Every structure is written in structure tokens, then in C-alpha cells.
Amino acid sequence: MTIEPRLRDELLALREQVRHFQGGMVASADGMVIAHDLADIEPDGLAALTAAAIGVAKRLTEATGQGGFEESLTRGTGGYVAAYAAGRRAVLTAVAGPDTNVGRLHLEARRAAERIGALVDGGVPPAHGGPPPAREQPRAGEAPR
């Protein structure tokens, strides 16, 4: 079974969770479409543009000492385009209208990007609804909590 249906489910969930969400795409970091939910946007072109934008964003964060790339947000007169790192090999691109609650978009897309990254990187994704709680590892001689 391919992971594409599970990725499309994540994109459809974003539509339900974020008002004015217009569509999304999962692409490889080098610009190849993996899955999308875009009606009026050509996915191959968007994937290529996202890869180029991510390349610039990575250089920008590194040059300013801000660490590795995590996300980028572009605001235009007609809405937003956001890109989120999704694991080691993929990017989630989200397109949303001008009335979108950007905080809500970030919250839900970050969670989705984490699950998508786990799927693409070959791991087991966290349960839908957020990352699993962190567990502290017991120190030598301590009982687990």
C-alpha cells in the first residue's frame, strides 16, 4: 500500500480544520509532487517553486544563525502560501485565503507536517491530533515514571 492516500487524508483534514484553506501539497524537498489537494493550482509548478523558496529560506536561516529551516510564510494580496518542513525529505505547502486565521493555520499545519514527515521518512506517524507526549528516560538506577 502506498502512503499517498494517507497523505491526502492529512491534506483533507487541513481543509476541515482551517477555515479558508484552499489546498495543500506534499512534495519532496527537491520539488517532486508526492500528493496534493489542489483544485486550481498546477501542482508540478508549485512543487518546483516551493523547492526554490525553501532553498532560499534555508540559506537565509543559516546565514543569520537561526538554525535549520522549519517553515516559511508568504502573504500576498489574495492570501497566504506557507511551507513547512515535513521530516527529512518532504515539504508541506499550504495555500489559504486572505481571511485565514494564520495562527490556526500554523497550529494545524505544523501538526500535519510532523505526521506527514513520519509517513514519508518511513516511521510510524503519531496519532491524528498531535504529537505524542514526550517521555523522560529514567537515569541509571531509577525506576521508570
Side-chain angles (χ1 to χ4, degrees), residues 14-124:
L14 279 174
R15 256 189 209 280
E16 294 172 4
Q17 296 163 341
V18 180
R19 288 185 62 203
H20 309 291
F21 187 81
Q22 296 173 343
M25 176 186 64
V26 178
S28 65
D30 60 354
M32 301 299 293
V33 177
I34 300 171
H36 74 88
D37 173 30
L38 300 166
D40 298 328
I41 301 170
E42 200 276 310
D44 291 326
L46 182 60
L49 288 170
T50 298
I54 296 306
V56 171
K58 284 180 179 180
R59 289 177 58 195
L60 183 62
T61 57
E62 291 168 2
T64 57
Q66 301 304 312
F69 171 80
E70 290 188 12
E71 63 191 48
S72 176
L73 177 69
T74 302
R75 179 178 169 214
T77 56
Y80 300 90
V81 179
Y84 302 87
R88 296 181 312 272
R89 303 181 308 185
V91 177
L92 166 63
T93 303
V95 180
D99 295 328
T100 296
N101 178 325
V102 177
R104 179 73 178 192
L105 174 65
H106 281 322
L107 175 70
E108 299 300 342
R110 287 171 183 157
R111 290 175 176 170
E114 185 172 337
R115 292 187 298 269
I116 288 166
L119 284 167
V120 172
D121 289 345
V124 177

